[in-house]
Amino acid sequence: RGTDQEDALMEQQLTFVLKLTESSPLDVGLDLFGGALPEVFPNGTLAFTLAPNLFGNATFAMVLTDDGGVLRNGLDISANVTFTIVIEQVNHAPRFSLANMSAPILEIIENGAAFSQPSFAFGITRGTAQEDALAQSDIPSLVQNLSFEVTMLGDTPFNLSAAFFTSPPAIDPASGTLSFTTAPYVYGDASFSVSLRDSGGDARGGTPVSLPQNFTVRILPVNQPPSFTLNASLV
């Protein structure tokens, strides 16, 4: 309260007053705490509740006031002190959805041209609104890069593996476009698993990869004309 006597009398009520002075990244501010200022009780206890799915730094200026007034040039406010609360990032798993298909099965015909389907993957997110917003920022260290991992699980009826395609299926992380080119004179079903990975890492229990989703490319057969060659020695 100012002096030993004032403390002994315990007549003056003490109040800590906080003011947010700076925050980052993207000036996240009091959103880190659900819009409410942290509170410091007269006994010195700091208390706050974190909002979900947000990280960043928040710096506060703090003074201690009493109700003793300013009569006879008294002072009822302390010197200013600053402190910073640091909420460390935990990477959230990226997410996406695949276009609605039956099973999902994507049907094309044998010997078709190079295939491309825009927005085959949609609802692409790095995990949280904050992580997506940081992708548009000028802070390279906080930008998470995305990539789709497409793994062939198998094919029927001939188990051709990679020979099923001249250019295997790939998904563009920016547009969600699926593209591939099938090998000529090949038909059947090829099944795939696809996951979305970000570059945010797994520190502090973070998750950099989505749950996998499956899809099947079905190449419908087109009957090819039979062929033969005459034995020149018999003609």
Side-chain angles (χ1 to χ4, degrees):
R1 292 169 176 81
T3 67
D4 291 342
Q5 184 182 34
E6 288 173 339
D7 284 337
L9 290 171
M10 298 185 66
E11 293 177 346
Q12 296 179 358
Q13 300 300 310
L14 298 176
T15 304
F16 282 103
V17 179
L18 276 66
K19 179 181 179 182
L20 178 69
T21 60
E22 184 180 3
S23 68
S24 64
L26 303 181
D27 195 22
V28 64
L30 292 180
D31 289 345
L32 284 169
F33 312 98
L37 272 170
E39 186 174 4
V40 179
F41 294 97
N43 66 0
T45 300
L46 171 66
F48 55 83
T49 300
L50 293 177
N53 303 329
L54 286 175
F55 70 93
N57 303 338
T59 299
F60 297 89
M62 181 175 71
V63 295
L64 179 63
T65 65
D66 63 36
D67 59 357
V70 294
L71 185 64
R72 294 178 292 276
N73 295 322
L75 295 174
D76 63 354
I77 188 169
S78 71
N80 187 70
V81 175
T82 63
F83 67 94
T84 300
I85 297 173
V86 179
I87 298 131
E88 295 188 322
Q89 181 182 13
V90 176
N91 187 23
H92 294 265
R95 302 187 308 276
F96 69 99
S97 298
L98 293 181
N100 291 327
M101 300 178 295
S102 174
I105 296 175
L106 184 65
E107 292 187 342
I108 60 173
I109 64 171
E110 179 185 343
N111 295 336
F115 179 87
S116 179
Q117 179 174 327
S119 300
F120 178 75
F122 65 96
I124 298 169
T125 173
R126 289 162 175 80
T128 68
Q130 186 183 33
E131 290 172 339
D132 285 334
L134 285 168
Q136 311 303 319
S137 73
D138 57 356
I139 312 173
S141 62
L142 295 178
V143 175
Q144 294 183 1
N145 297 311
L146 295 176
S147 59
F148 278 102
E149 299 175 346
V150 182
T151 304
M152 191 171 186
L153 301 175
D155 66 271
T156 58
F158 302 116
N159 194 28
L160 297 174
S161 299
F164 215 87
F165 299 89
T166 57
S167 178
I171 301 175
D172 180 74
S175 64
T177 297
L178 169 68
S179 58
F180 59 83
T181 303
T182 59
Y185 308 119
V186 169
Y187 66 89
D189 288 2
S191 59
F192 296 87
S193 173
V194 55
S195 299
L196 180 61
R197 180 176 293 275
D198 65 39
S199 59
D202 57 6
R204 295 176 290 276
T207 306
V209 64
S210 71
L211 294 174
Q213 299 189 46
N214 295 341
F215 70 95
T216 298
V217 175
R218 174 165 293 166
I219 304 173
L220 302 174
V222 175
N223 189 28
Q224 306 298 321
S227 63
F228 66 96
T229 302
L230 292 177
N231 189 332
S233 65
L234 298 179
V235 176

